[in-house]
Amino acid sequence: MNVFCKTLLASAMAASVVSSAYAAEPLKVYGKLNVTAQSNDVSDETETTVQSNASRFGVTGNFELSNSLEAFYTIEYEVDTGDEDKENFLARNQFVGLKGNFGAVSVGRNDTILKVSQGKVDQFNDLSGDVKTLFKGENRMAQTVTYYTPMFGDVQAGVTYVASGDSDQVVGDNTSGEDGVSMAVMYGDAGLKNSSIYAAIAYDSKVKGYDTARATVQGKVAGVVLGGMYQQQEALDSGVSDNGFLLSAAYDINDVTLKAQFADMENKGDSWSVGADYSLGKPTKLFAFYTANSFDSNDQDDNYVGVGIEHKF
């Protein structure tokens, strides 16, 4: 796998030089490295780690087939810098598709629409306080077909079909899976650059063992970015339904962003995090955080303190 990925990266960099004459946008090699030094107190045992947090690299591009049709693709891998195994590549989104006046459709490995619909409400994404610690629905599925409608003003809808042949669709003692569907309607810009508010309503039906309904909203008030999420998730094998919510906030002071977040899920537990990012430039930041996760299944809290650096390329 390492040999394959090195070859892929080298080929992509070489192709980027010659492809610009043919592509709607030149082939792009991209990625990020996010690495933290942490003290993790889990189940009353403390250890220090230098760990990678969803570091990744990939290639993406568009190709103009006609005046009204483009092909597009992404091949992305996660790179775990802290894994003692040198074979440390894991598959992330990998898909190919077509887009035009009809919208965009893609096939392959991809995040579900419900996962995408959260926008940027999770201020501690990929860290110890990530929403996936308590909430179901943060799914990247291997066998998907995804469709996005064109933009209707500030509104866009999407749907992801998950094939029953995906191994993650097998629930309980079943020997085969069921087809799953993830859908969402989204309003505004998730980055809050082109709109003052972002909102989404999403639903998963039979995706990775759960039916999940999610509502997300985020906006800026007096310079403070406030976000909220409400979710109901029901396990297909047991029929148990749980409700949860997340609240987040961020505030910029020059090059520093102060952040806080609290999440709670019924019959699971709660999580709260505080942190700060310091921008060294557009692609690079230093950051620090503290997270406390409390689970209903035990009496101990899990605590994480970390400092790190992230560089995007």
Side-chain angles (χ1 to χ4, degrees):
M1 179 61 74
N2 273 338
V3 173
F4 168 76
C5 289
K6 290 175 183 177
T7 303
L8 173 65
L9 183 58
S11 299
M13 294 177 68
S16 66
V17 176
V18 300
S19 64
S20 59
Y22 305 97
E25 294 182 6
L27 181 148
K28 178 182 178 182
V29 178
Y30 70 95
K32 73 173 184 179
L33 287 167
N34 183 305
V35 181
T36 51
Q38 294 188 200
S39 175
N40 304 327
D41 184 359
V42 179
S43 299
D44 285 340
E45 294 187 5
T46 302
E47 69 171 357
T48 57
T49 61
V50 176
Q51 65 187 59
S52 176
N53 305 294
S55 298
R56 69 200 67 167
F57 80 91
V59 294
T60 187
N62 296 354
F63 190 92
E64 186 175 311
L65 300 171
S66 69
N67 291 335
S68 59
L69 188 65
E70 287 186 2
F72 64 92
Y73 62 93
T74 292
I75 302 176
E76 185 176 291
Y77 285 92
E78 180 175 335
V79 184
D80 188 352
T81 65
D83 192 338
E84 62 183 20
D85 186 351
K86 295 180 181 179
E87 303 292 329
N88 60 350
F89 287 99
L90 299 174
R92 287 177 59 87
N93 291 338
Q94 301 171 344
F95 55 81
V96 62
L98 297 171
K99 60 183 175 181
N101 295 332
F102 58 88
V105 61
S106 61
V107 293
R109 183 187 302 271
N110 212 344
D111 293 336
T112 64
I113 290 291
L114 182 137
K115 179 182 179 181
V116 172
S117 75
Q118 72 159 271
K120 297 185 178 181
V121 70
D122 183 1
Q123 294 288 350
F124 293 86
N125 185 47
D126 294 331
L127 300 177
S128 304
D130 192 304
V131 65
K132 69 183 180 183
T133 303
L134 299 176
F135 285 39
K136 299 297 181 180
E138 297 297 289
N139 298 319
R140 177 179 299 116
M141 306 301 287
Q143 300 184 27
T144 71
V145 180
T146 297
Y147 170 69
Y148 284 93
T149 69
M151 293 292 298
F152 298 102
D154 290 327
V155 177
Q156 186 176 37
V159 59
T160 300
Y161 163 76
V162 183
S164 60
D166 192 316
S167 60
D168 283 335
Q169 286 297 96
V170 179
V171 178
D173 297 329
N174 296 335
T175 58
S176 61
E178 295 184 89
D179 294 334
V181 176
S182 178
M183 61 193 80
V185 177
M186 297 159 282
Y187 171 84
D189 167 31
L192 301 179
K193 295 179 180 179
N194 301 317
S195 62
S196 60
I197 190 170
Y198 171 79
I201 297 176
Y203 183 72
D204 274 2
S205 175
K206 299 180 180 179
V207 177
K208 206 170 182 178
Y210 278 83
D211 288 342
T212 305
R214 173 181 290 182
T216 304
V217 63
Q218 190 173 36
K220 185 174 290 187
V221 179
V224 181
V225 176
L226 299 174
M229 178 189 293
Y230 174 79
Q231 179 161 307
Q232 182 180 74
Q233 54 194 43
E234 180 178 346
L236 297 178
D237 55 353
S238 66
V240 174
S241 179
D242 298 321
N243 300 292
F245 68 91
L246 176 146
L247 300 173
S248 65
Y251 182 68
D252 292 335
I253 305 175
N254 297 323
D255 293 329
V256 177
T257 301
L258 304 178
K259 305 187 298 184
Q261 184 163 292
F262 178 78
D264 181 90
M265 177 57 69
E266 184 180 10
N267 296 319
K268 181 68 174 180
D270 59 61
S271 172
W272 65 270
S273 301
V274 293
D277 298 345
Y278 177 65
S279 176
L280 297 174
K282 188 174 181 179
T284 309
K285 69 178 182 181
L286 302 175
F287 62 93
F289 70 91
Y290 171 79
T291 292
N293 295 330
S294 178
F295 299 100
D296 294 347
S297 58
N298 58 58
D299 295 330
Q300 290 87 22
D301 291 348
D302 296 341
N303 300 288
Y304 305 85
V305 179
V307 294
I309 181 172
E310 178 180 278
H311 178 75
K312 296 180 179 180
F313 57 90

